[in-house]
């Protein structure tokens, strides 16, 4: 039992834990059934939802890779002599492979309780005792300090203390409670723990990649830590952000996140990345958390979590990385949680202050410039490190953005060319904004335009557009005013909308 000090109001949580033997037994049977699954190649027809057809092919390859041992077969024959036990294994395995459901774990609430109202964003952290240095308190402080009062209303931070040293956990909870009491009371901070009884055996694990045994144990347990954290956070918010426990945040990162999410409306994504390091700044729809939690549990001993994430993203049909710049989160720790080894990795795309991510309202993009390969028009309108690339344009060629709904624009900034192709700029061109949207055979387009300015050295930036234009803008258009021999790269189109006055 936990040694945590608790107020009388929380006693029922721990009394409930005493009666959870059946749940723990069920969880242990899940791990046993997973071991049995290594031998059951013919069970690959179990339905895992539509996308798991691919998953099962991967699982079949996994089984064929010399993983079926004679001892497993012997245990399977022994278990088949006990029908009741086999039926129980089958039941728990079916529960586990129901990827849309949560995992049956009774968590300890060490500080705070979930609110009834769903938030916009959950930020999840998993932390263990380190041999050298501890950055968790600084990370929590950075999350709250870098958020405005309005942003704080939309987030909840969940810390999973995943170390089995209960004395260490208790001392850390006391520190967290003392420093962040008002956030706990406001329902913005929860500290939880998944009891050790729910974990699989961490002995005799597969030695993939020639990793030493203690390294395999560390990364395997970390996968389970994250799985239990994701499982807990499933219904707390619309979106979920994973951070590590040694991270510094950029100012008003939530506002930047919301801009990016809004700009991706109508497009499919599984994971958006706001840092290029580790398991930092990875954003998910909360509806995908149960599947991700189950996936980490299924392959907890196979590879590190950041490698598993790549497979998960691919299985859900997001082929490419979608990473945004500048990075919103920075690794600040100097010592790893694994053996206290030095880990001084830094994200050189991180900017702590003056992050001015454009709004880029949802829109459709069209051009009559010949597109090269897959460098299509939409890539100029994204915060991702990609661009539009077209063959030499002629006088009168255009590149137009048609908004889903009319909007007020404050600033427009367009950059053409790239560092390695500095001559692939728009040498002569104009920037226009339009209204009176109509539908044609070639799609929607505006019938009336006003010119805002001319490109200079391939760039243009116009401030206070809403003061210069009387109407709400429905189209933004780039027009080529002179033919050129060079190809054209439109590296970025950035639009900032006019914020409505505070009520």
């Amino acid at each position: 039992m936990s040694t945590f000090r608790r107020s009388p109001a929380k006693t029922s949580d721990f009394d409930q834990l005493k009666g959870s033997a059946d749940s723990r037994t069920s969880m242990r049977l899940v791990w046993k059934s997973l071991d049995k699954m290594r031998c059951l190649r013919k069970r690959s027809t179990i339905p895992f939802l539509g996308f798991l057809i691919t998953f099962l092919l991967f699982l079949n390859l996994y089984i064929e890779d010399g993983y079926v041992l004679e001892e497993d077969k012997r245990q399977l024959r022994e278990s088949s002599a006990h029908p009741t036990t086999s039926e129980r294994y089958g039941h728990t395995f079916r529960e586990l492979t129901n990827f849309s459901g949560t995992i049956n774990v009774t968590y300890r609430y060490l500080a705070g309780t979930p609110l009834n109202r769903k938030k916009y964003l959950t930020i999840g952290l998993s932390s263990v005792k380190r041999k050298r240095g501890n950055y968790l308190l600084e990370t929590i402080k950075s999350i709250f300090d870098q958020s405005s009062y309005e942003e704080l209303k939309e987030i909840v931070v969940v810390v999973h203390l995943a170390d089995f040293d209960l004395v260490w956990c208790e001392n850390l909870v006391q520190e967290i409670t003392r420093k962040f009491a008002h956030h706990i009371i406001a329902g913005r901070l929860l500290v939880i723990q998944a009891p050790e009884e729910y974990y699989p055996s961490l002995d005799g694990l597969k030695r993939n990649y020639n990793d030493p045994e203690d390294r395999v144990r560390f990364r395997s347990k970390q996968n389970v830590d994250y799985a239990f954290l994701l499982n807990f956070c499933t219904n707390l918010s619309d979106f979920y952000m994973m951070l590590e426990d040694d991270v510094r945040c950029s100012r008003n990162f939530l506002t930047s996140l919301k801009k990016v999410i809004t700009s991706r409306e109508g497009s499919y994504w599984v994971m958006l990345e706001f840092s290029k390091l580790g398991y930092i700044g990875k954003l998910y729809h909360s509806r995908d958390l149960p599947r991700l939690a189950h996936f980490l549990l299924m392959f907890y001993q196979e590879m590190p979590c950041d490698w598993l994430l790549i497979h998960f993203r691919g299985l859900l049909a997001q082929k490419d990385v979608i990473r945004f710049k500048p990075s919103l989160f920075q690794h600040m720790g100097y010592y790893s949680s694994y053996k206290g080894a030095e880990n001084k990795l830094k994200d050189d795309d991180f900017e702590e202050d003056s992050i001015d991510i454009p709004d880029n309202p949802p829109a459709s993009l069209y051009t009559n410039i010949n597109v090269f390969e897959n460098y299509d028009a939409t890539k100029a309108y994204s915060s991702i490190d990609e661009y539009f690339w077209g063959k030499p344009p002629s006088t009168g060629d255009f590149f137009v953005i048609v908004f889903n709904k009319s909007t007020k624009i404050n600033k427009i900034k367009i950059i053409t060319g790239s560092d390695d192709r500095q001559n692939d700029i728009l040498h002569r061109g104009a920037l226009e904004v339009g209204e009176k949207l109509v539908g044609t055979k070639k799609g929607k387009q505006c019938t009336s335009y006003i010119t805002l300015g001319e490109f200079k050295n391939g760039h243009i930036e116009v401030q206070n557009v809403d003061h210069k234009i009387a109407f709400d803008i429905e189209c933004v258009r780039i027009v080529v005013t002179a033919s050129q021999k060079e190809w054209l790269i439109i590296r970025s189109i950035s639009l900032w909308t006019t914020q409505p006055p505070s009520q």
Side-chain angles (χ1 to χ4, degrees), residues 125 136-145 159 176 180 189:
L125 311 168
L136 177 60
L137 295 176
E138 294 176 63
T139 299
I140 298 173
K141 184 175 186 298
S142 180
I143 292 171
F144 292 137
D145 286 355
V159 178
I176 292 172
F180 305 106
L189 177 61

Side-chain angles (χ1 to χ4, degrees), residues 282-424:
K282 306 303 187 279
L283 182 75
Y284 302 90
H285 296 279
S286 292
R287 63 174 179 264
D288 287 332
L289 297 187
R291 287 187 285 187
L292 179 54
H294 282 288
F295 185 79
L296 291 175
L297 289 182
M298 292 289 286
F299 296 102
Y300 74 100
Q301 63 176 310
E302 297 305 316
M303 60 187 70
C305 59
D306 43 349
W307 294 8
L308 285 173
L309 296 181
I310 298 171
H311 291 290
F312 179 77
R313 167 172 55 77
L315 287 168
L316 290 187
Q318 181 189 318
K319 180 181 177 182
D320 300 317
V321 171
I322 305 176
R323 186 168 72 84
F324 294 87
K325 294 183 181 180
S327 297
L328 301 181
F329 306 97
Q330 177 66 286
H331 179 258
M332 68 176 175
Y334 288 106
Y335 302 105
S336 168
S337 52
Y338 171 62
K339 282 191 167 182
E342 288 194 2
N343 181 10
K344 298 182 180 180
L345 288 175
K346 298 296 177 185
D347 189 335
D348 52 12
D349 292 325
F350 173 75
E351 293 180 15
E352 185 164 7
D353 295 304
S354 301
I355 289 182
D356 193 16
I357 293 179
D359 298 298
N360 283 15
S364 301
L365 287 87
Y366 308 96
T367 183
N368 65 343
I369 301 170
N370 290 328
V371 179
F372 175 64
E373 293 184 351
N374 63 339
Y375 293 87
D376 58 80
T378 59
K379 294 186 176 179
Y381 196 60
S382 169
S383 298
I384 307 173
D385 190 16
E386 55 187 10
Y387 50 81
F388 164 81
W389 198 4
K391 297 180 180 180
S394 302
T395 303
D397 283 351
F398 61 86
F399 187 108
V400 63
I401 303 163
V402 179
F403 299 127
N404 292 358
K405 59 182 180 179
S406 59
T407 186
K408 292 185 180 297
I409 301 293
N410 175 256
K411 183 173 76 169
I412 302 175
K413 181 179 180 181
I414 300 174
I415 300 174
T416 66
S418 66
D419 293 338
D420 57 344
R421 295 184 179 274
Q422 298 183 13
N423 209 35
D424 285 3

Side-chain angles (χ1 to χ4, degrees), residues 12-195:
S12 60
D13 292 335
F14 289 85
D15 290 342
Q16 182 182 7
L17 184 63
K18 295 177 182 178
S20 64
D22 290 341
S23 294
R24 292 195 296 270
T25 301
S26 175
M27 198 66 187
R28 284 194 291 270
L29 290 175
V30 169
W31 297 117
K32 289 182 180 179
S33 66
L34 284 174
D35 288 336
K36 306 298 178 187
M37 185 181 62
R38 299 169 184 166
C39 305
L40 302 179
R41 297 178 56 184
K42 293 185 180 179
R43 290 190 180 180
S44 60
T45 57
I46 297 175
F48 278 54
L49 301 179
F51 82 92
L52 283 177
I53 294 173
T54 306
F55 178 87
L56 287 170
L57 293 175
F58 174 71
L59 182 58
N60 199 38
L61 290 173
Y62 162 80
I63 294 174
E64 289 179 351
D65 190 23
Y67 194 69
V68 179
L69 304 178
E70 287 302 316
E71 177 62 16
D72 294 324
K73 295 178 180 178
R74 182 187 64 79
Q75 292 178 357
L76 179 62
R77 287 193 296 269
E78 291 178 356
S79 65
S80 64
H82 304 280
T84 303
T85 304
S86 297
E87 289 172 5
R88 291 181 65 188
Y89 283 165
H91 175 68
T92 55
F93 182 73
R94 284 192 297 273
E95 287 180 350
L96 182 61
T97 54
N98 176 16
F99 273 42
S100 62
T102 55
I103 302 161
N104 186 18
V105 177
T106 303
Y107 295 87
R108 294 179 177 131
Y109 287 82
L110 308 183
T113 55
L115 297 178
N116 292 328
R117 183 177 67 85
K118 253 190 173 184
K119 297 293 188 77
Y120 183 81
L121 179 72
T122 299
I123 300 170
L125 311 168
S126 183
S127 188
V128 296
K129 181 169 62 176
R130 295 170 180 258
K131 293 182 180 295
R132 302 172 68 181
N134 190 298
Y135 311 96
L136 177 60
L137 295 176
E138 294 176 63
T139 299
I140 298 173
K141 184 175 186 298
S142 180
I143 292 171
F144 292 137
D145 286 355
Q146 297 290 63
S147 301
S148 68
Y149 177 71
E150 291 301 317
E151 289 171 329
L152 288 175
K153 293 179 181 179
E154 299 189 76
I155 66 173
V156 56
V157 180
V158 178
V159 178
H160 177 208
L161 295 186
D163 202 283
F164 300 146
D165 184 338
L166 299 186
V167 174
W168 173 83
C169 290
E170 180 179 8
N171 292 336
L172 186 55
V173 169
Q174 289 177 354
E175 283 192 77
I176 292 172
T177 302
R178 183 171 64 253
K179 292 189 175 183
F180 305 106
H182 60 297
H183 292 297
I184 294 173
I185 293 171
R188 290 192 289 266
L189 177 61
L190 304 174
V191 185
I192 64 166
Q193 186 180 56

Side-chain angles (χ1 to χ4, degrees), residues 267-279:
S267 65
Y268 179 77
W269 58 271
V270 177
M271 179 174 71
L272 304 182
E273 303 188 19
F274 296 88
S275 172
K276 64 183 179 183
L277 300 178
Y279 207 174

